């Protein structure tokens, strides 16, 4: 992973491949942001004019490279857009800093060192820049054997542009200040875990089976002092986990339920996180149509987010107990697969008529939610790429939040905003519950097509223990990005919801949530 260092050196004297400065969008043209004073001086105070001549506007995410003058040790100046100039007395928002730093880090792929001279007037600013740069520097290269020029010789050139920026040096960040040091440490741990989730999501399903996913969790547990328990297909069948068993029975790769637990001796509360981990989703017998299968390795993004968040809590030493439940299965069609019309007996004892085998995520989550409820946590949050309906409602960059407690839903929405993740609170209309009534079972796994994402939330609510506060995050839109990278968001797995879950754990540890 990209290294992060703090430095009090001047942007003019530090040796690096490039010095990164911020440019804002002013009323009369680009405005050089604070932090770049030494660079502007090297341009005789005319840096803004030079940038405008080159067509720079300061628009968000805009990147302009120009050769450095003789007064700088770095050979290149990289100006990145911050968006509109803030009002007097206000700084740039954390998300603007994250995205600018991320865009700059991506533009410096293949470089050894970037000196970031962006506005860092506070430790919070430094945290945002560090986080954005480390997330933007991400690249998934596990399956690349070529050297970047198509020869496929198994070796990498030093100038391979697919290689992430090796080091981010944050200028003006007060390396001896406790707040700045803590911000850097948090950003490093958080980015590492978001990138862990991204790696898992990007890994092909032939390698990331439920068994392999469970093994990865066990390995991380040993490294970070977590307790890991894995139920294999025999234990699941014996324990009555009808949802996990039913979804996974059509695959040659059997299901798993993983429990990861981080405990702190001073913790007063326990937060349970539940993740959907469908390592590949063909739709089962209700096969997905052509064009909808190619990215279905990402259907385990919820479990990846939960896994990463639990490890992050351990790395940060948070004073809260965090338990992660990874509901892992592969949904495949075969002679042994669950059929439409079959009835499954869930771990809770409730029976579910399976009318659509492609509505499988809610089945594995139901078992995990019931099991998590048995431990009586203070709150449960599940995360899942659950419904295409949520994408239709909120688009590709925003996840929906549903909950059995309006105050908790509001709090999670606010926490997501703090973390820099786009979300929106969604309702759980009682009238939609009737659409899941079944003539042969306690309920069906699908209901009305209109409001399908809300119906799925209502289904999950049926399996949350009485009196337990619960929220459901449907990350179907932002979990996997198929377009061009932007800001600190790469193409492919994004690590959606990891930052929200970690912030939620921090707020719980601080006693900010009831």
């Amino acid at each position: 992973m990209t290294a992060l260092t703090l430095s009090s050196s001047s942007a003019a004297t530090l040796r690096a491949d490039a010095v990164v400065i911020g440019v804002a969008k002013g009323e009369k043209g680009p405005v050089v942001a604070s932090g770049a004073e030494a660079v502007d001086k090297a341009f005789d105070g005319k840096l803004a004019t030079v940038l405008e001549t080159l067509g720079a506007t300061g628009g968000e995410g805009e990147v302009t490279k120009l050769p450095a003058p003789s007064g700088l040790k770095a050979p290149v100046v990289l100006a990145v857009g911050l968006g509109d100039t803030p009002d007097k007395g206000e700084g740039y928002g954390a998300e603007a800093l994250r995205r600018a730093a991320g865009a700059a880090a991506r533009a410096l792929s293949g470089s050894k060192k970037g000196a970031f001279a962006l506005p860092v007037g506070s430790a919070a600013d430094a945290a945002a820049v560090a986080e954005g740069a480390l997330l933007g520097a991400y690249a998934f290269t596990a399956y690349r054997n070529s050297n970047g020029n198509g020869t496929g010789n198994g070796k990498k050139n030093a100038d391979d542009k697919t290689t992430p920026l090796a080091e981010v040096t944050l200028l003006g960040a007060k390396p001896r200040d406790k707040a700045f040091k803590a911000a850097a440490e948090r950003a490093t741990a958080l980015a590492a875990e978001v990138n862990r989730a991204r790696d898992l999501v990007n890994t092909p399903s032939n390698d990331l089976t439920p068994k392999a996913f469970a093994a990865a969790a066990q390995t991380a547990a040993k490294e970070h002092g977590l307790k890991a328990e894995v139920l294999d297909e025999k234990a699941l069948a014996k324990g009555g986990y009808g949802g996990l068993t039913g979804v996974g029975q059509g695959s040659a790769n059997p299901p798993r339920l993983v429990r990861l637990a981080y405990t702190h001796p001073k913790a007063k509360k326990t937060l349970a996180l539940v993740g959907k981990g469908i390592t590949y989703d063909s739709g089962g017998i209700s096969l997905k149509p052509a064009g909808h299968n190619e990215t279905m390795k990402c259907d385990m993004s919820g479990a990846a987010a939960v896994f990463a968040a639990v490890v992050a809590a351990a790395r940060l030493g948070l004073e809260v107990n965090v338990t992660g439940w990874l509901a892992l299965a592969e949904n495949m069609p075969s002679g042994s697969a669950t059929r439409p019309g079959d009835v499954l007996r869930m771990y809770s004892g409730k029976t579910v008529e399976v009318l659509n085998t492609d509505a499988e995520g809610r089945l594995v989550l139901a078992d995990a939610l019931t099991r998590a409820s048995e431990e009586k946590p203070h709150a449960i949050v599940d995360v899942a790429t659950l419904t295409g309906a949520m994408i239709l409602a909120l688009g590709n960059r925003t996840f929906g939040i549903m909950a059995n407690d309006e105050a908790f839903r509001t709090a999670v929405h606010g926490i997501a905003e703090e973390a820099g993740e786009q979300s929106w609170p969604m309702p759980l209309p009682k009238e939609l519950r009737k659409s899941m009534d079944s003539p042969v079972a306690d309920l069906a796994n699908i209901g009305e097509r209109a409001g399908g994402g809300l119906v799925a939330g209502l289904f999950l609510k049926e399996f949350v223990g009485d009196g337990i506060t619960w929220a459901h995050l449907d990350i179907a839109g932002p979990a996997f990005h198929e377009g061009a990278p932007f800001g600190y968001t790469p193409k492919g797995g994004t690590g959606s919801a990891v930052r929200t879950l970690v912030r939620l754990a921090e707020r719980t540890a601080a006693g900010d949530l009831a």
Side-chain angles (χ1 to χ4, degrees), residues 121-199:
S122 66
D125 291 341
V129 173
E131 190 178 314
L134 294 176
L135 292 176
Y138 172 82
F140 184 66
T141 60
Y143 291 83
R144 289 180 181 160
N145 290 315
S146 73
N147 63 2
N149 60 18
T151 60
N153 61 9
K155 299 180 181 179
K156 291 184 178 180
N157 285 340
D159 62 350
D160 183 359
K161 297 304 181 183
T162 65
T163 303
L165 173 63
E167 182 181 350
V168 169
T169 298
L170 201 56
L171 301 179
K174 302 178 183 178
R176 295 183 181 181
D177 185 282
K178 289 184 179 180
F180 279 84
K181 289 173 65 176
E185 290 170 0
R186 181 185 184 276
T188 299
L190 186 60
E193 293 313 314
V194 172
N195 289 340
R196 180 198 297 275
R198 291 171 170 179
D199 283 347

Side-chain angles (χ1 to χ4, degrees), residues 338-344 352-357 359 363 443-445:
T338 294
R339 298 152 292 226
D342 284 359
V343 175
L344 304 178
V352 175
E353 182 182 14
V354 180
L355 297 181
N356 187 330
T357 63
L363 298 175
L443 73 164
N445 76 324

Side-chain angles (χ1 to χ4, degrees), residues 83-475:
D84 293 336
T85 305
D87 294 333
K88 290 183 178 180
E90 294 184 9
Y92 295 93
E95 187 61 7
L97 293 174
R98 282 191 202 98
R99 292 188 180 187
R106 286 192 296 102
L108 291 175
S109 293
S111 301
K112 292 182 179 179
K113 186 174 182 178
F116 283 65
L118 293 172
V120 287
S122 66
D125 291 341
V129 173
E131 190 178 314
L134 294 176
L135 292 176
Y138 172 82
F140 184 66
T141 60
Y143 291 83
R144 289 180 181 160
N145 290 315
S146 73
N147 63 2
N149 60 18
T151 60
N153 61 9
K155 299 180 181 179
K156 291 184 178 180
N157 285 340
D159 62 350
D160 183 359
K161 297 304 181 183
T162 65
T163 303
L165 173 63
E167 182 181 350
V168 169
T169 298
L170 201 56
L171 301 179
K174 302 178 183 178
R176 295 183 181 181
D177 185 282
K178 289 184 179 180
F180 279 84
K181 289 173 65 176
E185 290 170 0
R186 181 185 184 276
T188 299
L190 186 60
E193 293 313 314
V194 172
N195 289 340
R196 180 198 297 275
R198 291 171 170 179
D199 283 347
L200 288 166
V201 175
N202 289 327
T203 301
S205 301
N206 58 321
D207 282 344
L208 192 70
T209 62
K211 181 179 179 180
F213 199 142
Q218 289 175 306
T219 298
K222 291 180 181 178
E223 180 182 354
H224 296 285
L226 307 174
K227 184 177 182 181
E229 301 174 41
V230 178
L231 298 183
D232 62 13
E233 68 273 28
K234 293 181 180 178
L236 291 171
K238 184 178 180 180
Y241 293 85
L244 273 157
T245 300
V247 171
Q249 69 188 38
S251 174
N253 298 302
R256 296 287 188 272
L257 178 62
V258 179
R259 178 183 183 273
L260 278 178
Y262 161 70
T263 58
H264 191 283
K266 296 182 180 180
K268 296 180 180 179
K269 292 187 177 182
T270 297
L271 180 64
L273 308 176
V274 177
K276 173 187 173 183
I278 302 299
T279 57
Y280 184 76
D281 183 19
S282 70
I285 297 296
S286 305
L287 195 66
K288 291 180 182 293
H292 289 72
N293 293 285
E294 291 77 6
T295 60
M296 281 299 103
K297 66 180 183 180
C298 79
D299 213 19
M300 37 56 67
S301 297
V306 166
F307 175 11
V310 176
V311 177
R315 292 179 66 154
L316 295 171
L318 303 183
E319 290 188 17
V320 59
N321 297 328
V322 184
T323 304
W325 300 88
L326 316 181
L328 310 175
E330 187 175 68
N331 188 25
M332 298 291 283
S334 73
S336 62
T338 294
R339 298 152 292 226
D342 284 359
V343 175
L344 304 178
R345 185 172 295 278
M346 313 299 282
Y347 180 70
S348 69
K350 291 182 179 179
T351 55
V352 175
E353 182 182 14
V354 180
L355 297 181
N356 187 330
T357 63
D358 195 25
E360 85 300 326
R362 65 199 70 183
L363 298 175
V364 301
L365 285 173
D367 277 353
L369 284 168
T370 302
R371 179 65 186 86
S373 295
E374 289 181 342
E375 298 186 357
K376 303 296 182 183
H378 290 87
I380 297 177
V381 177
D382 76 72
V383 188
T385 47
L386 205 59
T387 66
M390 198 55 57
I391 301 176
L392 294 176
L394 299 177
N396 290 314
R397 296 190 183 183
T398 304
F399 61 75
I401 306 173
M402 285 155 263
N404 61 2
D405 181 273
E406 187 173 345
F408 189 58
R409 182 188 65 181
T410 300
V412 174
H413 175 48
I415 285 168
E417 186 175 350
E418 285 180 26
E421 298 197 278
Q422 295 174 220
S423 67
W424 196 252
M426 303 292 283
L428 288 174
K430 294 180 180 179
E431 63 271 15
L432 291 178
R433 169 59 183 86
K434 186 173 178 59
S435 69
M436 289 186 287
D437 286 348
S438 165
V440 297
D442 294 324
L443 73 164
N445 76 324
I446 59 172
E448 285 187 31
R449 182 179 179 83
L454 313 182
V455 171
L458 286 166
F459 181 92
L460 296 178
K461 183 182 176 184
E462 295 277 328
F463 298 89
V464 177
D466 291 341
I468 297 177
T469 301
W470 158 79
H472 160 57
L473 312 186
D474 190 335
I475 62 170

